[in-house]
Amino acid sequence: MDTTYLKKFYKKKHDDKINALFLADVISKQEKDVLLNRTLELDSDTANHMIENYIGNYSMPLGVAMNYIIDQEELVVPMAIEEPSVIAASSFAAKIIGSAGGFKTTVTRRMMIGQVTLKAVPNLEVAEQKIKEAKKDILSRANEAHPSIVKRGGGAKNLEVRILTDDTNNNIPTYLSVHVHISTQEAMGANIVNTMMESIAPYLEELTQGKALLRILTNYATECLATSTCVIPAHKLKTGEFSGEEVRDRIIEANQIATIDPYRAVTHNKGIMNGVDAVVLASGNDWRAIEAGVHAYASRSGQYRSLTSWTKNDAGDLVGELTLPLPVGTVGGSISIHPGAKLAHSIMGHPNAPKLERIIVSVGLAQNFAAVRALVTEGIQKGHMGLHARSLAISAGAKGDHIQQVADILKHSKHKNLQRAKNILLNILEEFEK
């Protein structure tokens, strides 16, 4: 990739942006033509077979975040999102972090978890022991249900037993839950896991004398974690009236508040998910599953807390870290059939599943850095409202070059609302007609 063609990307016109991506070797000639001809659409026949009661497509803007250096590799990251300022903030943060060496990532061995939850087990301790003694046989039966994944090196690898009880509510009985850890390779693997769980349920009933109630994967993928870290020298944080050291300390303090206050933590983590969801959606993955698992992970201590950690090292640098459960895939579902998803994977260089995890968690860390930095310095509204002005201009009826003209005037107006945008547009049109 030749990033020289991508400099000041945000200032280029639409067609020039696409040509720049082609010249930088981010997209192919065919992909360039698709984007220039505005034919990146999901056809109705495919869409009709993806969901029930299909009536049409609901489009989301697809953009690209720049300046990412992840594990010493330069990347352009596709993001599908309707909210203004997210991609700009992501690119800005990636530029600062990239100038300090970029993101360094690690991923755990990718394991999805399936659950068979049993009720009315007469003797929980005996049942638990029998399951542990039959571990090899249980895993073998699970793998027999999906031999193709085993041939590719995946399959059921381990299991554990959990007794589920609530000491605070006597009306809830005790259940027995069997967790099976499954390698689904490049797939997110919901269908693989669910098939395996349904196949072993009768055998578990036989072993425990209980009744299988639930046989399904969990989206709380604690065996599929990705971590991204960055180190930013304090002098790179200086902005406006704030010294780099002041910005560093204020970011750390803001993170401390998000660690102890759930009300702040929810908004703090929502900012992280602005970036995460945008890449997950662009890549054709299940953003709802990721959201559910991530927010459960934020509550693993018993209180909902910040997902990020911002601290200071001995050299006085700002150190950021983010760990997320990311059971994403690069095959299966809509990934192989949705034209937008296929393009997104191409832009990222067709990453395997672990690499896609590395990209997504790094975007989450960048997004958090940008949001918190703005929040503790100039305020979140300055940058956000500047971009929001374009949305107001469009809502007011502006088209073409008039959109930016209205937005530029609106950004410096006392009242930044739709009525003001309409008045500005009217004045521009009247001047144009003279």
Side-chain angles (χ1 to χ4, degrees):
M1 181 170 64
D2 187 348
T3 57
T4 57
Y5 292 103
L6 305 179
K7 293 185 182 302
K8 298 190 182 300
F9 188 83
Y10 67 98
K11 289 188 174 182
K12 299 180 187 295
K13 293 185 177 180
H14 177 265
D15 289 6
D16 292 334
K17 287 178 181 176
I18 294 169
N19 193 51
L21 290 172
F22 170 68
L23 293 173
D25 201 28
V26 174
I27 60 175
S28 67
K29 174 66 166 58
Q30 182 180 2
E31 290 163 342
K32 170 189 169 183
D33 293 340
V34 165
L35 289 169
L36 287 176
N37 295 326
R38 280 49 164 191
T39 55
L40 187 70
E41 293 293 337
L42 181 66
D43 68 84
S44 58
D45 186 56
T46 301
N48 189 47
H49 287 87
M50 290 175 69
I51 63 169
E52 304 77 26
N53 300 338
Y54 171 77
I55 59 170
N57 296 333
Y58 183 97
S59 298
M60 292 281 283
L62 178 66
V64 286
M66 297 292 169
N67 310 316
Y68 273 90
I69 300 176
I70 302 174
D71 298 320
Q72 300 183 326
E73 181 183 0
E74 292 182 314
L75 289 164
V76 172
V77 182
M79 301 175 73
I81 189 167
E82 86 296 343
E83 183 177 333
S85 83
V86 171
I87 294 176
S90 185
S91 300
F92 170 77
K95 186 174 183 178
I96 293 177
I97 295 169
S99 72
F103 302 89
K104 294 178 175 58
T105 68
T106 58
V107 295
T108 61
R109 187 184 184 194
R110 285 171 49 83
M111 288 287 172
M112 306 306 155
I113 301 172
Q115 290 181 292
V116 176
T117 306
L118 300 119
K119 68 174 187 176
V121 177
N123 191 316
L124 293 164
E125 288 73 20
V126 170
E128 182 177 1
Q129 185 60 34
K130 284 186 175 181
I131 291 169
K132 289 179 178 178
E133 290 173 354
K135 173 182 174 180
K136 185 176 180 180
D137 196 17
I138 294 169
L139 296 179
S140 177
R141 289 170 183 248
N143 286 328
E144 287 172 3
H146 216 296
S148 61
I149 193 66
V150 178
K151 289 179 181 178
R152 297 197 296 272
K157 304 293 185 181
N158 199 6
L159 66 76
E160 62 178 313
V161 184
R162 297 171 59 232
I163 295 175
L164 309 179
T165 188
D166 186 350
D167 294 332
T168 66
N169 190 339
N170 293 328
N171 292 323
I172 298 179
T174 300
Y175 297 93
L176 187 70
S177 185
V178 180
H179 284 204
V180 181
H181 297 180
I182 301 165
S183 170
T184 56
Q185 301 296 87
E186 288 299 305
M188 184 272 178
N191 290 330
I192 295 171
V193 175
N194 294 344
T195 297
M196 288 184 169
M197 294 308 96
E198 291 181 0
S199 73
I200 64 173
Y203 184 48
L204 291 174
E205 288 180 327
E206 181 184 328
L207 288 172
T208 65
Q209 300 302 301
K211 296 293 183 183
L213 182 64
L214 305 172
R215 297 148 293 176
I216 192 171
L217 88 162
T218 170
N219 290 123
Y220 191 26
T222 53
E223 301 299 312
C224 184
L225 301 177
T227 299
S228 183
T229 60
C230 66
V231 179
I232 310 171
H235 70 85
K236 292 183 178 291
L237 300 171
K238 184 180 184 303
T239 180
E241 64 187 64
F242 297 97
S243 70
E245 289 76 13
E246 287 177 309
V247 175
R248 176 199 64 201
D249 294 343
R250 290 167 76 89
I251 289 173
I252 293 170
E253 290 163 348
N255 195 84
Q256 290 170 344
I257 294 170
T259 301
I260 61 176
D261 178 19
Y263 285 86
R264 172 61 202 142
V266 169
T267 308
H268 181 94
N269 291 342
K270 186 270 180 184
I272 294 170
M273 300 312 291
N274 276 345
V276 170
D277 285 347
V279 184
V280 172
L281 182 58
S283 67
N285 275 280
D286 186 347
W287 60 268
R288 299 161 303 278
I290 299 299
E291 280 273 350
V294 163
H295 292 299
Y297 193 70
S299 304
R300 64 192 183 282
S301 68
Q303 177 183 310
Y304 189 89
R305 300 180 185 274
S306 165
L307 287 158
T308 49
S309 166
W310 292 101
T311 57
K312 178 177 67 174
N313 65 14
D314 292 340
D317 305 323
L318 180 67
V319 180
E321 181 174 319
L322 172 63
T323 298
L324 299 175
L326 287 173
V328 293
T330 58
V331 297
S334 65
I335 296 169
S336 302
I337 59 176
H338 194 293
K342 290 193 285 187
L343 175 63
H345 284 263
S346 180
I347 289 172
M348 291 183 284
H350 298 286
N352 60 17
K355 183 176 178 180
L356 183 56
E357 290 180 48
R358 296 173 190 271
I359 294 170
I360 293 170
V361 72
S362 296
V363 171
L365 183 58
Q367 212 73 54
N368 182 244
F369 168 71
V372 177
R373 176 188 173 278
L375 189 62
V376 301
T377 55
E378 62 191 14
I380 204 73
Q381 285 298 86
K382 183 178 179 181
H384 181 75
M385 288 306 294
L387 289 160
H388 183 57
R390 289 206 297 265
S391 295
L392 286 172
I394 295 169
S395 296
K399 298 183 183 300
D401 292 340
H402 289 157
I403 294 173
Q404 193 60 52
Q405 291 174 17
V406 173
D408 288 341
I409 298 172
L410 190 61
K411 282 188 289 186
H412 298 95
S413 299
K414 181 179 179 181
H415 301 292
K416 300 177 179 63
N417 54 42
L418 181 58
Q419 186 57 53
R420 176 61 180 144
K422 287 180 178 179
N423 292 339
I424 293 169
L425 177 61
L426 182 61
N427 291 336
I428 290 173
L429 293 175
E430 288 177 348
E431 286 294 321
F432 183 75
E433 291 174 357
K434 287 181 179 179

